[in-house]
């Protein structure tokens, strides 16, 4: 089983199988089951990732790892419920619903539209859940209950009262009974969370609302009861899928069919870190939450991580292996796990002994395994790892910076005359170099040049003075000779 962004669609489909586990070949399928199958097929990988993130948060809470987890934790969660008619309308526009199913659900939706209150649909998540519940129940049991003038709330109440008088051991009665309980429990949680909405008119398609937990600091997140309870409740609804394997139910959570978490947004590095950690956690629970046994993982697991350092902050590169080992030890207690990872990061490599590393080097024949002797990497200085493991040949400095320094060295060597102004300009060039040894050495060379220039200037000044004195003597001698010639002529 490979969990990659490219494979996420397959993993998502396998997870959402709880919405409608396939029946044996030849069994008759009713309208409710056809709709459930369509809903399952239209679940997106993004919806699966939302659940993965919340389950991972719940794991961090349960294991007391959340205070030590260096990855980003979204301490403000925005909840929304997808109305069934909105899903179907969108699918209709995208051509993702078969005409036969569309004809079946249209008659139910037309009646529901005449009964629901648009303002409540826009602002009341519990009301949307009740409307979706009534829609599903009518698909299973027929339109008769919609024949009165009762509104959605009254119809929902009648259905719940009717279910309570029946034997819930039957498959569908159990599903709808559990759905009603979920709506009741979820409504209690929602009552403690403030409503948020934008300022456009409710009739506008751009109008959005939802329930959003308050934002908390990382230190106080465990005290945020509403935040914790939402996460724990969603995680608990995922866990009831185990009952499908035990034959206690045919369908999983009603809530997870329609729940959306709108704001689990991260930077690219945060998302990479979160994805790896949440997928590793989920893979450890895979067999509990995936219906089909052919998708189940084995006891011996091979986890391959390709270029894990991509997009990660250096601090996360440094600590990633520690997190990885900690979470694998906690998530895979009953499994034998081998990890293979590739990396270009010396920060990651310093966590692995040399005996656990295979070095790859580009040659004229392509990329080959390097079997030459390498230095120990575990706990080794990063500069030594860069030089030895990444074939930098002592060139751990950026190429541009290296050329800059070489040019400064060449120019200082070739300077024949250095005045104070030129000296100051080169001094500024040298001061931006971070390596103390190189910076100091170049400073010494520049100062030496300046001293040499000053020495030369002193010598030139001395010679100039001597020349001036000789010129004076010459002039005096010439004057004396001129005077002597005049006396002789007289």
């Amino acid at each position: 089983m490979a969990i990659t962004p490219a494979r996420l669609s397959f993993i998502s489909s396998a997870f959402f199988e709880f919405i409608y586990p396939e029946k044996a070949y030849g069994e008759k399928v009713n309208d409710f089951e056809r709709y459930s199958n369509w809903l399952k097929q239209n679940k997106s990988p993004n919806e699966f990732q939302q659940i993965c993130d919340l389950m991972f948060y719940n794991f961090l809470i349960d294991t007391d790892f959340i205070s030590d987890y260096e990855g980003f934790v979204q301490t403000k969660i925005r909840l929304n419920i997808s109305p069934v008619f909105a899903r179907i309308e969108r699918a209709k526009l995208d051509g993702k619903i078969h005409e036969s199913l569309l004809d079946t659900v249209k008659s139910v939706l037309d009646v529901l539209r005449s009964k629901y209150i648009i303002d409540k649909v826009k602002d009341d998540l519990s009301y949307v859940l009740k409307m979706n519940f009534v829609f599903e129940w009518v698909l299973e049991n027929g339109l008769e209950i919609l024949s009165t003038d009762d509104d959605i709330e009254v119809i929902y109440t009648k259905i719940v009262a009717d279910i309570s008088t029946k034997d819930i051991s039957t498959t569908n009665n159990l599903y709808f009974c559990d759905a009603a309980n979920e709506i009741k429990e979820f409504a209690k949680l929602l009552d403690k969370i403030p409503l948020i909405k934008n300022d456009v008119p409710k009739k506008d398609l751009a109008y959005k609302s939802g329930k959003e937990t308050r934002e908390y600091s990382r230190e106080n997140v465990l005290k945020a009861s509403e935040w914790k309870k939402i996460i724990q409740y969603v995680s608990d609804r995922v866990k009831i899928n185990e009952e499908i394997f035990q034959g206690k139910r045919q369908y999983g959570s009603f809530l997870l069919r329609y729940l959306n978490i709108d704001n689990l947004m991260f930077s690219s590095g945060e998302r990479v870190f979160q994805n790896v950690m949440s997928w590793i956690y989920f893979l450890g629970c895979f067999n509990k939450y995936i219906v089909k046994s052919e998708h189940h993982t084995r006891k011996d697991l091979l986890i391959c991580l390709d270029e894990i350092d991509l997009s990660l902050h250096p601090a996360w590169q440094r600590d990633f292996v520690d997190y990885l080992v900690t979470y694998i030890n906690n998530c895979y207690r009953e499994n034998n796990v081998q990890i293979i990872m590739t990396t270009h990061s010396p920060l990651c490599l310093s966590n692995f002994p040399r005996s656990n590393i295979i070095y790859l080097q580009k040659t004229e024949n392509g990329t080959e395994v390097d079997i030459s002797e390498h230095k120990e990497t575990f706990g080794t200085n990063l500069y030594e790892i860069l030089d030895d493991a990444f074939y930098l040949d002592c060139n751990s400095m950026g190429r541009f910076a290296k050329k800059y320094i070489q040019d400064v060295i060449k120019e200082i060597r070739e300077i024949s005359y250095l005045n104070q102004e030129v000296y100051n300009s080169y001094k500024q060039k040298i001061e931006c170099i971070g390596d103390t040894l190189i910076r100091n050495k170049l400073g010494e060379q520049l100062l030496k040049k300046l001293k040499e220039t000053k020495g030369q200037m002193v010598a030139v000044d001395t010679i100039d003075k001597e020349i001036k004195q000789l010129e004076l003597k010459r002039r005096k001698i010439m004057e004396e000779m001129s005077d002597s010639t005049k006396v002789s002529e007289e």
Side-chain angles (χ1 to χ4, degrees):
M1 175 62 66
I3 299 187
T4 65
R7 292 272 289 174
L8 196 57
S9 180
F10 169 79
I11 303 298
S12 172
S13 297
F15 173 75
F16 284 117
E17 190 74 16
F18 73 78
I19 291 177
Y20 178 66
E22 291 183 10
K23 287 192 170 185
Y25 181 76
E27 281 192 68
K28 190 176 180 180
V29 178
N30 63 25
D31 291 340
F32 169 68
E33 291 165 338
R34 288 175 62 213
Y35 164 74
S36 295
N37 189 41
W38 170 82
L39 190 63
K40 173 187 71 176
Q41 293 172 353
N42 282 272
K43 279 289 188 177
S44 69
N46 184 52
E47 291 176 276
F48 167 70
Q49 185 63 58
Q50 293 170 3
I51 293 174
C52 261
D53 289 342
L54 293 196
M55 289 179 67
F56 180 63
Y57 283 171
N58 191 57
F59 163 74
L60 292 176
I61 293 170
D62 285 347
T63 53
D64 292 328
F65 282 142
I66 198 161
S67 57
D68 298 323
Y69 179 60
E70 246 183 67
F72 179 75
V73 175
Q74 176 59 274
T75 65
K76 180 171 66 175
I77 298 177
R78 188 178 306 145
L79 305 162
N80 247 314
I81 300 297
S82 178
V84 62
F85 62 82
R87 272 187 175 268
I88 291 174
E89 284 295 330
R90 187 163 55 248
K92 180 182 176 182
L93 292 173
D94 296 339
K96 293 183 177 180
I97 184 169
H98 196 274
E99 286 294 333
S100 60
L101 178 58
L102 187 59
D103 291 341
T104 299
V105 299
K106 186 176 182 302
S107 58
V108 181
L109 290 176
D110 287 344
V111 179
L112 283 179
R113 283 180 186 275
S114 67
K115 293 179 176 293
Y116 72 74
I117 303 169
I118 186 64
D119 284 1
K120 296 194 74 171
V121 171
K122 292 283 188 175
D123 290 340
D124 189 342
L125 302 191
S126 299
Y127 185 79
V128 178
L129 280 173
K130 292 174 183 177
M131 184 179 66
N132 292 354
F133 175 95
V134 172
F135 170 79
E136 290 191 0
W137 193 90
V138 170
L139 283 180
E140 172 69 20
N141 297 279
L143 283 163
E144 183 180 351
I145 199 165
L146 299 181
S147 61
T148 67
D149 293 331
D150 295 334
D151 63 20
I152 296 294
E153 295 270 14
V154 173
I155 294 172
Y156 171 78
T157 303
K158 285 182 177 180
I159 294 173
V160 173
D162 184 57
I163 292 173
S164 65
T165 64
K166 294 183 178 179
D167 181 8
I168 66 167
S169 63
T170 61
T171 297
N172 286 355
N173 276 345
L174 174 61
Y175 168 74
F176 285 109
C177 184
D178 189 65
N181 287 330
E182 284 188 350
I183 293 172
K184 181 180 178 181
E185 293 299 317
F186 196 61
K188 290 180 182 178
L189 295 174
L190 293 178
D191 284 342
K192 299 178 181 179
I193 301 175
L195 178 73
I196 60 162
K197 52 189 176 183
N198 57 20
D199 294 328
V200 300
K202 286 186 179 180
K203 292 183 179 180
D204 195 304
L205 292 177
Y207 180 87
K208 287 188 177 181
S209 68
K211 291 280 190 170
E212 186 174 78
T213 61
R214 296 175 180 83
E215 188 168 6
Y216 299 91
S217 67
R218 183 66 173 272
E219 294 74 22
N220 295 329
V221 72
L222 286 178
K223 299 177 183 177
S225 59
E226 62 183 42
W227 185 84
K228 280 202 307 181
K229 286 178 181 177
I230 287 290
I231 290 171
Q232 289 170 338
Y233 187 72
V234 172
S235 185
D236 286 343
R237 300 330 291 163
V238 175
K239 292 176 182 177
I240 68 169
N241 293 341
E242 288 185 78
E243 297 179 13
I244 297 176
F245 309 139
Q246 299 166 1
K248 296 180 180 178
R249 63 171 63 240
Q250 182 176 347
Y251 302 104
S253 169
F254 168 80
L255 175 65
L256 296 186
R257 293 159 83 100
Y258 302 106
L259 179 67
N260 280 318
I261 313 297
D262 293 336
N263 66 325
L264 289 174
M265 295 174 287
F266 305 82
S267 70
S268 58
E270 290 166 348
R271 177 42 74 188
V272 168
F273 196 81
Q274 176 81 351
N275 281 359
V276 172
M277 294 304 171
S278 62
W279 293 353
I280 284 174
Y281 166 73
F282 181 79
L283 190 59
C285 313
F286 204 71
N287 295 356
K288 295 180 180 179
Y289 308 138
I290 299 299
V291 175
K292 292 184 178 179
S293 59
E294 59 262 35
H295 298 322
H296 288 181
T297 56
R298 300 178 181 179
K299 187 171 183 179
D300 296 329
L301 295 177
L302 173 65
I303 297 178
C304 298
L305 303 171
D306 185 30
E307 297 195 53
I308 192 57
D309 50 285
L310 290 180
S311 300
L312 294 186
H313 185 279
W316 288 356
Q317 294 179 27
R318 178 195 62 201
D319 300 339
F320 175 79
V321 173
D322 182 50
Y323 283 113
L324 185 65
V325 172
T326 298
Y327 295 146
I328 284 179
N329 285 337
N330 278 273
C331 298
Y332 298 85
R333 296 181 185 276
E334 298 178 1
N335 299 90
N336 300 315
V337 181
Q338 181 180 6
I339 304 171
I340 297 176
M341 59 185 291
T342 65
T343 183
H344 291 100
S345 170
L347 291 158
C348 286
L349 204 62
S350 67
N351 291 290
F352 294 97
R354 178 182 58 192
S355 57
N356 288 60
I357 300 172
I358 296 174
Y359 296 89
L360 300 176
Q361 184 178 22
K362 284 188 176 181
T363 67
E364 295 178 355
N365 300 320
T367 302
E368 298 180 346
V369 175
D370 179 9
I371 59 174
S372 62
E373 187 70 21
H374 284 268
K375 296 178 181 179
E376 181 56 72
T377 51
F378 188 77
T380 301
N381 181 283
L382 298 181
Y383 293 104
E384 292 186 29
I385 295 176
L386 279 168
D387 183 38
D388 177 66
F390 293 94
Y391 308 100
L392 294 185
D393 298 325
C394 298
N395 294 325
S396 57
M397 183 185 297
R399 181 183 294 182
F400 177 81
K402 182 180 178 182
K403 288 173 66 178
Y404 175 92
I405 292 171
Q406 288 174 338
D407 289 343
V408 172
I409 293 172
K410 182 180 178 182
E411 290 172 12
I412 290 175
R413 284 177 177 172
E414 293 177 352
I415 289 174
S416 57
Y417 177 80
L418 188 67
N419 60 27
Q420 192 65 44
E421 183 180 353
V422 176
Y423 171 82
N424 290 338
S425 68
Y426 274 102
K427 189 177 180 182
Q428 286 183 340
K429 288 185 176 181
I430 292 171
E431 285 177 349
C432 74
I433 298 172
D435 189 296
T436 304
L437 181 62
I438 294 175
R439 186 175 65 248
N440 290 345
K441 194 67 178 176
L442 283 176
E444 291 173 5
Q445 291 296 318
L446 185 66
L447 187 59
K448 183 179 178 183
K449 278 283 183 178
L450 181 63
K451 289 179 178 179
E452 289 176 356
T453 300
K454 286 182 176 179
Q456 292 170 350
M457 290 174 67
V458 170
V460 169
D461 287 343
T462 302
I463 293 171
D464 283 345
K465 287 179 181 179
E466 290 177 354
I467 291 172
K468 285 180 180 179
Q469 290 175 353
L470 288 172
E471 283 289 338
L472 290 172
K473 286 183 179 181
R474 180 178 178 279
R475 192 180 302 155
K476 187 175 181 181
I477 292 172
M478 292 298 291
E479 288 176 353
E480 290 175 350
M481 289 177 62
S482 176
D483 293 340
S484 176
T485 301
K486 288 180 180 180
V487 170
S488 297
E489 289 177 351
E490 291 176 356

